[in-house]
Amino acid sequence: MSSIEIVTHPKTAVAVVGAGPAGLASAAHLLRRGLEPVVFEAAAAVGGQWNGAAPGSATWPGMRTNTSRVMTAFADLDHPQGTATYPTREQMFAYLGRYADAMGITPRIRFRARVEGLERHPDGWLVTSAGDGGSRREVFARVIVANGRHRVPSVPQIPGLETFAGRLGVAHAAAYDGEQAYRGATVVVAGCSISALEIASALALGGAGRVIVSRRRQRWVLPKLNAGLPTEHLMFNRAAMLAGERLPPAARAAGLKAAVVRAGGDPAPYGAGSADPDVFAAGIAQSQHFLAAVAEGRIETRPWIASVDGRAVRFTDGGTVETDALLFGTGYRLSVPFLAEDVARTLGLDQGEIDLADHTFHPDLPGLAFVGLYDLVGPYLPVLELQARWVAYTFAGLRPAPGDAEMREGLARGRAARAMGSPPMHGPAVLFARRAGVEPDPRDWPDLERTLLFGPLAPASFRLVGPDARADAAVRTAEAGHAFGRDGGNTYTSEEAALRDLLLGDRTATAA
């Protein structure tokens, strides 16, 4: 390896690791700011998880998004007219390919180029990659790591798991390929994450003989739709973000729990068991059909698995079931395998997490940024785009880079936030928007004020102000709100008017 010539790129070149949504958004905004992205992608096409042919993709044929088409898109490209509220995997894959072409990224992607090493270099960062053209060693002044958060399946250690003898075997949700193989079978789904509940629901509604969900704890469950409106449009908005900033943690937890109960109800009356009253301790999952399927007896719920013996799965309450298949929807382990040992140690990767200021930078690793290596509740693409813009603006000198003291404070905030579980998407979204200087003040947009406060955090709403503002942003923001029941006027309900005055200051508001 040492005999391979090292090529040093101009300072305007930025290496981007990954051509999934995070990498594509990063490359697009680097280009817009006059920088030259060099994108390394191990697969033969863009898309990350949405590319079903990519190694490690955890999606399956016909899978649909958990978030609406408005919130599963970037600001520069809408989904085609006629796309369903929740696009399929195939539609998302096609969308990301169109985005790469439209933004001029495709010619700058090296497909089948796997990054095998990232280490410090006197002139920045040394990237070692291997692909169809052989191995390369290249120096970049700056690098963005965007290889994805959900990459390496996490399967818990369970006594006797290796003895499982069910005819359909043991698999992680990452290997799930649809319900067809499980028709008529008894299946134990272990976990209470989104993937576990969605797979259990698909099995129960798709002809499985018996479906049992085993979980360590029952999470609070949000439906995808609430009275015809996407749940993330109702819950994850600027009003919720601003209110959260003014409330102590206990009050934030109580407010979030109340919103979850309004949207989906308490899981206990459905028969799913009680969730911890502390919503942050319990966690939140999202599934349209899970609670209803439990109430109808299509899904049984059990405590965690104590042991496995052949086909017998024994639970911690002493109950046992003979099963044909065991599926683990137990999440993913953060993996950035190409980082040099000293870099990984600085980032705390040996702890299974990553130590970053505002999810993005580290004070001891200048020129290195990370996009998308965090868990969220809610839509990812608008958040990824805002983070990518902040990084691009910082690298281009358009926004000041955070100083050492600021970043170290950010590291401490990040450690504290991890203890509270995955945040709702509106927190990181508005954080990145403020860092990038693109968060609109609703008071400056009278015709959009109510939509900006209580409507969806549509990507177009972050193009109203700041760098890369779009002339059509106001119209598209209003359209996004109107499409799902929030018009652009200021006819507030009494409750909205009171909250608006609390968050933005008193003014005369017309209450409905």
Side-chain angles (χ1 to χ4, degrees):
M1 185 64 71
S2 61
S3 64
I4 300 173
E5 179 184 1
I6 296 177
V7 175
T8 299
H9 287 269
K11 292 188 181 299
T12 53
V14 180
V16 178
V17 184
L24 294 178
S26 297
H29 287 282
L30 290 170
L31 268 174
R32 184 167 267 146
R33 301 270 53 93
L35 299 173
E36 184 60 38
V38 178
V39 184
F40 296 81
E41 172 52 52
V46 303
Q49 290 285 349
W50 296 109
N51 175 10
S57 172
T59 59
W60 57 87
M63 172 183 171
R64 292 189 176 273
T65 63
N66 274 293
T67 53
S68 73
R69 65 174 184 269
V70 167
M71 300 296 284
T72 314
F74 296 126
D76 288 301
L77 185 68
D78 292 332
H79 285 278
Q81 190 171 11
T83 301
T85 301
Y86 297 98
T88 64
R89 177 186 76 172
E90 293 73 21
Q91 289 172 323
M92 286 303 304
F93 177 56
Y95 171 85
L96 293 170
R98 288 195 302 273
Y99 179 81
D101 291 341
M103 302 304 291
I105 304 164
T106 304
R108 294 165 170 85
I109 303 173
R110 297 181 188 172
F111 293 108
R112 299 186 182 90
R114 181 179 299 279
V115 172
E116 297 185 333
L118 178 61
E119 58 189 281
R120 302 175 201 252
H121 186 275
D123 294 322
W125 294 93
L126 177 61
V127 178
T128 302
S129 64
D132 293 343
S135 296
R136 298 187 185 190
R137 304 185 80 201
E138 301 164 89
V139 174
F140 295 85
R142 288 160 296 199
V143 175
I144 296 175
V145 175
N147 67 319
R149 174 67 176 83
H150 306 102
R151 292 179 48 81
V152 178
S154 177
V155 177
Q157 293 184 347
I158 294 175
L161 182 60
E162 70 283 356
T163 74
F164 183 69
R167 63 184 177 87
L168 296 175
V170 177
H172 187 274
Y176 177 75
D177 202 32
E179 67 271 15
Q180 295 84 358
Y182 300 93
R183 286 177 180 157
T186 297
V187 186
V188 172
V189 180
C192 201
S193 64
I194 291 175
S195 59
L197 302 190
E198 287 287 88
I199 288 172
S201 300
L203 293 172
L205 298 173
R210 185 181 181 191
V211 179
I212 301 103
V213 169
S214 167
R215 67 278 192 267
R216 290 188 178 91
R217 67 185 188 280
Q218 177 59 50
R219 298 189 185 202
W220 295 92
V221 181
L222 283 171
K224 291 164 67 171
L225 285 167
N226 185 358
L229 303 180
T231 295
E232 76 266 13
H233 293 208
L234 298 173
M235 290 192 60
F236 307 141
N237 51 37
R238 287 180 176 83
M241 174 61 193
L242 293 170
E245 289 181 330
R246 289 159 171 75
L247 299 173
R252 288 203 304 271
L256 180 58
K257 177 187 170 183
V260 171
V261 170
R262 283 197 302 270
D266 187 325
Y270 288 89
S274 298
D276 191 311
D278 183 340
V279 70
F280 292 122
I284 298 174
Q286 190 176 26
S287 177
Q288 183 66 21
H289 303 294
F290 171 72
L291 290 177
V294 171
E296 292 170 350
R298 298 173 185 266
I299 295 176
E300 305 167 43
T301 59
R302 298 288 183 88
W304 191 238
I305 299 171
S307 64
V308 174
D309 183 7
R311 291 187 63 237
V313 174
R314 185 170 65 85
F315 304 102
T316 55
D317 64 356
T320 302
V321 65
E322 297 276 324
T323 185
D324 299 307
L326 185 51
L327 284 172
F328 284 93
T330 44
Y332 296 82
R333 178 171 53 85
L334 180 64
S335 176
V336 194
F338 47 82
L339 292 181
E341 184 177 336
D342 66 304
V343 177
R345 188 167 52 250
T346 298
L347 291 164
L349 276 174
D350 58 331
Q351 304 297 318
E353 285 292 345
I354 189 163
D355 207 16
L356 292 169
D358 295 331
H359 308 288
T360 308
F361 299 110
H362 194 286
D364 298 327
L365 303 171
L368 184 61
F370 297 80
V371 175
L373 298 193
Y374 40 78
D375 276 320
L376 285 178
V377 177
Y380 265 89
L381 265 65
V383 183
L384 297 176
E385 183 175 34
L386 290 165
Q387 187 181 23
R389 290 174 70 184
W390 177 36
V391 172
Y393 295 170
T394 299
F395 281 179
L398 196 63
R399 296 287 292 178
D404 184 86
E406 183 181 357
M407 278 199 273
R408 295 194 187 280
E409 290 175 2
L411 292 177
R413 286 196 304 271
R415 294 174 193 131
R418 286 203 297 270
M420 298 183 69
S422 303
M425 63 83 63
H426 56 67
V430 175
L431 167 70
F432 296 142
R434 289 172 176 171
R435 296 286 189 268
V438 299
E439 168 62 357
D441 186 334
R443 293 169 294 192
D444 295 335
W445 299 86
D447 293 339
L448 289 175
E449 185 184 276
R450 183 166 172 255
T451 294
L452 288 175
L453 267 181
F454 297 104
L457 284 172
S461 74
F462 297 102
R463 303 299 280 274
L464 289 166
V465 298
D468 303 317
R470 290 181 54 127
D472 63 353
V475 171
R476 292 174 68 213
T477 299
E479 288 175 346
H482 181 72
F484 291 104
R486 175 68 71 205
D487 63 40
N490 284 335
T491 306
Y492 288 91
T493 67
S494 298
E495 182 181 3
E496 287 173 347
L499 183 55
R500 183 263 170 224
D501 291 344
L502 174 67
L503 299 177
L504 299 183
D506 188 23
R507 74 161 179 82
T508 301
T510 304

